Amino acid sequence: LLRHFSPIGFWGLVNNAGISTFGETGWLSMEKYEKFADVNLLGSIRTTLAFLPLLRKYKGRIVFMSSIIAYFSLGNGIYSMTKAAIEKFCDALRLEMKKFGVRVCIIQPGNYARSTKIQPPVSAEEIWNELSEEEKAVYNKEYVQERANFFNRILSEGSANGNEVVDAMVDALTSPAPKARYMVAKLKEKALVFVCALFPTVVMDSILSYALST
């Protein structure tokens, strides 16, 4: 493995892999939960553990791609779950690596769906066809269509300036004093995170419930 690296050693690792999907909790199969946890969470952990000895040796940097969705969910709870877990993994790792001179940074992008194409537009018909009979007995096609329209509208409002996230990643890798967290998001997205972090849960639930009903 070492023969593939330059003489300066191995000093930077970026865990960027991620997949996303849409659907309320009961709409998604256990297999889908396992797939998302394997790619978004366990994939980053596996890669980190594989390179950790080299990163300690060369006092390197580890960068993780999280999301502001780690703080709240609007129809993609499965994605939020994995990003919240990555945040906690990084919090533990950052403290543990400090004594070795290894910096651990988290990138928290807002809505960049138009840049990354991580989530294609969702089809209400496809969602309905994949629902179990139990879920179809609880929901109706009109509700699924409303949720799909809502989520597709969010996707269409995503920023196309993906270079902003790349710039944060570069700074995390090269800055003499990198930040623990880089939140790269619009002002209204940052405000939503602020409310979620500092206000009682009932306040955030009210805001998100209103957003979902509009």
Side-chain angles (χ1 to χ4, degrees), residues 12 17 49 87 119 122 138 148 185:
L49 293 178
E87 293 264 347
Q119 172 68 62
V122 298
V138 175

Side-chain angles (χ1 to χ4, degrees), residues 34 156 198 205:
E34 290 172 347
S156 69
L198 298 181
D205 284 353

Side-chain angles (χ1 to χ4, degrees), residues 146-184:
E146 289 174 1
R147 294 299 94 223
N149 292 343
F150 170 81
F151 196 67
N152 286 334
R153 187 170 72 249
I154 291 178
L155 294 177
S156 69
E157 294 171 353
S159 173
N161 299 322
N163 59 291
E164 296 170 346
V165 180
V166 175
D167 289 345
M169 295 165 68
V170 171
D171 190 80
L173 287 170
T174 62
S175 172
K179 301 175 184 178
R181 282 177 167 83
Y182 291 79
M183 187 173 293
V184 190

Side-chain angles (χ1 to χ4, degrees), residues 13-73:
L13 172 65
V14 178
N15 286 298
N16 185 54
I19 53 177
S20 178
T21 193
F22 165 80
E24 298 198 359
T25 303
W27 299 1
L28 306 171
S29 67
M30 190 62 215
E31 289 75 20
K32 187 158 286 189
Y33 277 97
E34 290 172 347
K35 177 182 178 180
F36 273 73
D38 190 54
V39 175
N40 292 3
L41 174 61
L42 299 180
S44 293
I45 294 174
R46 279 193 294 266
T47 306
T48 299
L49 293 178
F51 290 105
L52 206 54
L54 288 171
L55 290 161
R56 285 194 298 248
K57 179 179 179 180
Y58 294 106
K59 302 184 186 301
R61 305 277 176 92
I62 315 176
V63 180
F64 291 85
M65 188 60 62
S66 180
S67 170
I68 63 168
I69 292 297
Y71 294 92
F72 56 87
S73 175

